[in-house]
Amino acid sequence: MPDTSPRHIRLTSHAGGYGALPIRWGAPTAAERGPIVGTTSKPSHRNVIGTHSGSYSVYRALAVAAGALSREHKPDLTNTSPTDFIGPYPQWTDPARIVSLDPWGARVAEVFAGEIAAGYDIRPTIAVTKAHVILPEVIDALQKGRLKADGTVLTPGGAAMVTKAAIEPVWWLPGVAQRFGCSEADLRRVLFEETGGMYPELVTRSDLEVFLPPIGGLTVYIFGNPQDLANPQVELTARVHDECNGSDVFGSDICTCRPYLTHAIEECIAGAQRGGVGLVAYSRKEGRALGEVTKFLVYNARKRQAGGDTADQYFARTECVAGVQDMRFQELMPDVLHWLGVKKIHRLVSMSNMKYDAITQSGIEVGERVNIPDELIPADAKVEMEAKVAAGYFTPGHVPDTDELKQVKGRGLE
Ligand SMILES: [Zn+2]
């Protein structure tokens, strides 16, 4: 049992530790950049605000409180190294390109071996592995002849071969502030205040520029050779997808999220089989980053309003409940593409203007935009689709006017 008896609380809200290694964000090599040290067992070694594992850091605290986890536990990283090498790419050392993840995060055991041997608790913030993904929609595409098994990208049983990477958020605050057009001081103050004062170092330790925020991260699924992502000569099919548990996992038909995701996966498999490479980046930004409680409240407000659920009121109802229409702020999203070395997306499977603008403004070229085929739009999701198209989302088809939007109706609650 770990010692969880009362003891002095060691505040880290003021400098005074020794042995903390400096971080020089964007430095040309890992050694010059320095490791991210978010350990809680040796406060003097810490060089960041917050700690590892994103939102799961709170569960780790529970495990310590429950006596299930020793405060002193250090991960044994034997055999955990990445299955595929990614980078380093020139974008890794450009502080304007990557501000919300640690590009060296998958390779800490290798590039910071000396510091780890010297006793620093340095943890990977990225893990890269391989998997077979089996989806009923892909099996259906195989049975209907839209996809063909080749035994390399797709097996006859419908399993797609992927390399996947899980990425925790690592924010370099000066760069994050710049993306959002605010001062670093204002960003730090608001992050402190709006989390109920969770991280005093945000306001007391301006010398600490890196924050490990307690939020969800993202996962990338790569179809084909991961190194090809950085080669603009190789056709890249890509989707950046924001989490929607109701549709992605449970098949709720009020939105197009899962059909869009599985359509993108089908396109990625077909692209990889043509000699290209496919990429799905999946961000934990549930319900436009408003969360699922807000999302379900909005569903009720939409379906109970006078006149029922109509496309012309789609964005208004979200704004009534949440105060904004969307909190995903795609400004940080392209970072993962730069981590993978992407310079050109030949086929972007998305209708979102916000995603398209963020990607192209970050310096990545986009060729064709691929939207979801009409036959894949679920019964109750027409309201969302038509509202988005009218609001300026990409479509190769007809853009409805105000009167037409009023006619697009969803189901009632009963
Ligand atoms: Zn959805």
Side-chain angles (χ1 to χ4, degrees):
M1 285 285 285
D3 177 17
T4 53
S5 57
R7 57 188 189 135
H8 293 297
I9 291 172
R10 292 172 298 188
L11 281 177
T12 52
S13 53
H14 296 278
Y18 57 92
L21 301 167
I23 297 172
R24 296 182 196 91
W25 198 267
T29 63
E32 291 164 273
R33 206 292 307 274
I36 302 293
V37 185
T39 179
T40 51
S41 55
K42 270 216 175 74
S44 66
H45 284 181
R46 291 171 51 79
N47 60 7
V48 299
I49 301 163
T51 186
H52 286 291
S53 307
S55 54
Y56 299 106
S57 60
V58 180
Y59 282 100
R60 204 176 62 230
L62 281 181
V64 171
L69 175 65
S70 161
R71 289 173 188 274
E72 311 305 325
H73 174 77
K74 256 198 208 177
D76 172 359
L77 297 176
T78 307
N79 289 335
T80 64
S81 62
T83 53
D84 292 83
F85 276 106
I86 289 166
Y89 296 117
Q91 293 97 317
W92 287 25
T93 55
D94 180 348
R97 288 274 185 267
I98 297 178
V99 300
S100 64
L101 58 85
D102 175 9
W104 303 102
R107 297 170 61 168
V108 297
E110 163 205 347
V111 296
F112 300 120
E115 290 86 347
I116 291 171
Y120 287 88
D121 177 6
I122 302 167
R123 304 190 178 194
T125 56
I126 300 178
V128 184
T129 188
K130 285 190 184 297
H132 293 194
V133 295
I134 301 166
L135 290 164
E137 289 87 345
V138 169
I139 292 171
D140 185 57
L142 205 49
Q143 285 167 352
K144 292 199 167 116
R146 296 199 307 272
L147 287 175
K148 299 232 180 316
D150 60 2
T152 314
V153 178
L154 187 63
T155 69
M161 308 290 126
V162 298
T163 299
K164 58 181 183 176
I167 302 167
E168 287 174 11
V170 177
W171 286 7
W172 180 55
L173 292 168
V176 173
Q178 200 168 22
R179 293 273 178 98
F180 289 95
C182 62
S183 74
E184 186 190 339
D186 283 347
L187 175 67
R188 285 170 169 267
R189 187 189 176 100
V190 175
L191 283 170
F192 172 69
E193 290 174 347
E194 295 300 317
T195 56
M198 197 167 181
Y199 298 99
E201 296 95 326
L202 285 165
V203 288
T204 63
R205 293 287 305 273
S206 58
D207 59 312
L208 298 178
E209 292 189 329
V210 174
F211 177 39
L212 307 181
I215 60 172
L218 65 109
T219 313
V220 295
Y221 283 80
I222 300 162
F223 303 80
N225 178 1
Q227 267 115 51
D228 284 343
L229 292 164
N231 182 353
Q233 306 306 319
V234 176
E235 181 194 280
L236 168 56
T237 302
R239 173 164 176 79
V240 283
H241 187 94
D242 294 321
E243 176 179 32
C244 172
N245 184 266
S247 171
D248 292 346
V249 180
F250 287 96
S252 165
D253 75 343
I254 196 169
C255 56
T256 55
C257 300
R258 182 178 171 104
Y260 234 122
L261 181 62
T262 56
H263 174 59
I265 290 170
E266 185 177 329
E267 291 286 338
C268 284
I269 292 169
Q273 290 182 327
R274 286 195 294 272
V277 60
L279 170 70
V280 174
Y282 188 97
S283 292
R284 298 310 177 318
K285 290 183 190 167
E286 175 59 56
R288 296 195 206 135
L290 302 167
E292 222 176 19
V293 170
T294 298
K295 183 170 168 175
F296 291 4
L297 295 174
V298 170
Y299 289 158
N300 283 346
R302 277 170 55 186
K303 290 177 180 297
R304 285 183 180 138
Q305 69 190 323
D309 184 16
T310 55
D312 66 319
Q313 292 299 311
Y314 172 79
F315 286 110
R317 289 283 74 78
T318 304
E319 199 164 344
C320 284
V321 178
V324 294
Q325 293 180 359
D326 199 311
M327 274 192 210
R328 285 175 291 177
F329 297 112
Q330 300 294 346
E331 283 84 346
L332 302 176
M333 173 270 288
D335 287 24
V336 67
L337 303 173
H338 292 297
W339 176 62
L340 294 163
V342 172
K343 297 185 198 81
K344 177 172 180 179
I345 297 172
H346 301 70
R347 306 185 75 233
L348 178 65
V349 187
S350 171
M351 66 188 289
S352 165
N353 274 12
M354 288 173 285
K355 290 175 185 169
Y356 174 83
D357 291 345
I359 291 169
T360 54
Q361 282 163 18
S362 82
I364 293 171
E365 188 189 338
V366 172
E368 186 188 352
R369 295 167 79 178
V370 181
N371 68 323
I372 189 171
D374 283 345
E375 64 270 21
L376 293 183
I377 299 172
D380 203 27
K382 291 275 182 205
V383 168
E384 177 200 292
M385 287 304 277
E386 294 299 305
K388 285 182 168 178
V389 166
Y393 277 54
F394 170 74
T395 178
H398 174 69
V399 178
D401 63 24
T402 316
D403 285 336
E404 288 172 297
L405 279 187
K406 287 193 173 74
Q407 306 307 316
V408 181
K409 266 201 165 181
R411 264 201 311 273
L413 280 172
E414 301 311 323

